[in-house]
């Protein structure tokens, strides 16, 4: 319904932020499938030629990971909103269009945190599109303390909040992952939800994944962090956490061509979804 913006800075988009356009390109392709898991009518314009080119270069056509991840997180957001949450924070929002494409009521505030130049570009690409909720872009450097900027944008730490951290942790160091969780925890009252995905160390070490990871590294998009026990990591920051393997979700959705094997199965790289509450 409404949109506030303090983002006016424009600068070249850094390589890791460029992956948000790749994600949009994959979501655009998914939206054209007859068996699509979701429809994102904004993804194609958010991807643009850079996103489609990166999709071609990385040969990720048909990969189910981002479609399955998107559908799972869409469903979880709708679930927590149904429980009464009216404040959502997207960490490293990138080209996420959930404020526009999900049926979120006008009284729900979605704070989108990312680099100012990326949010500026996103605003230009979306043009006159109108979010269904109240969208508040907050330009910050996520490797620094963003708490002051978020509060200045109208965030209320005393309210139940849904925090969404999607497709980010693998690009961070372990120390940065802990710092990010510390900041989120500091701003979380009772009744908050945290949705975050992790790749397993098994994926980082997988021979099958090595060509794609090397292509990403060559473009300064190196994956650095993975965990096979992400629920333990999140719980160490004071949350109650449950974990679901991405393969389990993908298999349930009928879109997973790989084995849904237990953790620790040799040569089966793993990825995880964590849902945590305060």
């Amino acid at each position: 319904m409404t949109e506030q913006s303090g983002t006016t800075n424009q600068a070249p988009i850094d390589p890791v932020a460029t992956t948000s356009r790749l994600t949009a390109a994959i979501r655009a392709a998914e939206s054209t499938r007859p068996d699509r898991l979701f429809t994102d009518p904004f993804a194609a314009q958010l991807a643009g030629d850079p996103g489609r080119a990166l999709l071609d270069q990385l040969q990720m056509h048909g990969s189910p990971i981002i479609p399955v991840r998107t559908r799972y997180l869409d469903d979880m957001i709708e679930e927590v909103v149904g429980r009464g949450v009216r404040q959502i924070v997207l960490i490293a929002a990138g080209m996420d269009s959930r404020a526009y494409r999900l049926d979120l009521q006008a009284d729900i505030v979605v704070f989108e945190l990312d680099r100012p130049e990326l949010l500026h570009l996103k605003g230009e690409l979306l043009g006159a599109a109108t979010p269904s909720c109240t969208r508040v872009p907050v330009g910050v450097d996520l490797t620094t303390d963003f708490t002051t900027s978020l509060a200045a944008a109208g965030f209320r730490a005393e309210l139940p909040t849904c925090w969404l951290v999607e497709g980010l942790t693998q690009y961070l160091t372990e120390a940065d992952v802990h710092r990010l969780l510390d900041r989120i925890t500091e701003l979380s009252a009772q009744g908050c939800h945290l949705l975050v995905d992790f790749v397993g160390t098994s994926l980082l070490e997988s021979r099958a994944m090595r060509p794609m990871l090397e292509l990403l590294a060559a473009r300064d998009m190196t994956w650095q962090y993975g965990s096979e026990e992400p629920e333990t990591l999140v719980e160490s920051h004071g949350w109650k956490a449950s974990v679901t393997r991405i393969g389990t979700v993908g298999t349930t959705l009928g879109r997973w061509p790989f084995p849904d094997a237990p953790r620790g199965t040799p040569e089966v790289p793993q990825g995880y979804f964590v849902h945590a509450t305060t």
Side-chain angles (χ1 to χ4, degrees):
M1 291 292 291
T2 61
E3 180 171 356
Q4 305 169 26
S5 177
T7 301
T8 58
N9 189 30
Q10 186 171 12
I13 305 301
D14 69 272
V16 171
T18 302
T19 62
S20 66
R21 304 198 76 177
L22 166 66
T23 300
I26 294 173
R27 287 174 174 157
E30 176 69 20
S31 298
T32 67
R33 292 178 58 123
D35 61 344
R36 56 187 171 273
L37 298 179
F38 56 87
T39 300
D40 187 341
F42 304 96
Q45 66 202 72
L46 291 171
D49 290 337
R52 288 185 284 272
L54 193 54
L55 178 58
D56 290 338
Q57 293 163 13
L58 296 176
Q59 301 177 12
M60 292 182 66
H61 295 278
S63 171
I65 296 174
I66 288 175
V68 168
R69 185 180 78 191
T70 300
R71 170 61 182 272
Y72 171 82
L73 294 173
D74 282 358
D75 289 348
M76 290 302 301
I77 289 171
E78 291 177 347
E79 179 180 324
V80 301
V81 166
R83 297 184 192 181
V85 169
R86 290 295 179 269
Q87 191 169 245
I88 300 171
V89 182
L90 308 182
I91 302 288
M95 296 299 171
D96 188 307
S97 69
R98 289 185 173 97
Y100 297 84
R101 65 179 178 81
L102 294 185
D103 187 20
L104 300 176
Q105 298 174 358
D107 66 329
I108 296 175
V109 183
V110 176
F111 296 92
E112 296 191 3
L113 274 62
D114 215 312
R115 300 199 176 190
E117 59 272 18
L118 180 61
L119 291 173
H120 180 82
L121 173 61
K122 181 177 182 178
E124 289 187 334
L125 293 171
L126 286 170
T130 303
S132 63
C133 56
T134 298
R135 173 181 176 259
V136 184
V138 184
V140 292
D141 180 349
L142 290 168
T143 63
T144 63
D145 188 353
F146 55 79
T147 56
T148 300
S149 296
L150 186 56
F155 175 82
R156 296 175 59 186
E158 74 275 14
L159 296 180
T161 300
C162 177
W163 300 89
L164 176 62
V165 185
E166 180 181 12
L168 175 64
T169 58
Q170 63 264 37
Y171 293 102
L172 304 178
T173 65
E174 182 174 0
D176 282 336
V177 170
H178 281 286
R179 277 190 285 269
L180 176 62
L181 291 173
D182 280 338
R183 290 175 186 133
I184 291 173
T185 303
E186 177 187 344
L187 296 173
S188 295
Q190 285 297 113
C192 286
H193 295 260
L194 172 62
L195 303 172
V196 55
D197 66 291
F198 292 88
V199 302
T201 52
S202 55
L203 192 151
L204 296 179
E205 297 166 358
S206 168
R207 288 178 292 180
M209 291 295 295
R210 190 171 302 155
M212 190 196 79
L213 295 179
E214 289 176 349
L215 284 172
L216 286 169
R219 291 162 173 78
D220 295 324
M221 304 173 188
T222 303
W223 287 17
Q224 303 183 76
Y225 180 75
S227 173
E228 297 296 343
E229 296 184 349
E231 69 274 39
T232 302
L233 166 72
V234 173
E235 286 173 348
S236 72
H237 290 265
W239 296 74
K240 300 174 184 176
S242 61
V243 66
T244 305
R245 294 192 306 273
I246 187 172
T248 301
V249 177
T251 299
T252 300
L253 293 171
R255 289 287 296 280
W256 201 250
F258 315 112
D260 178 23
R263 280 188 260 197
T265 302
E267 296 301 316
V268 179
Q270 297 280 1
Y272 305 99
F273 299 125
V274 173
H275 174 209
T277 57
T278 50

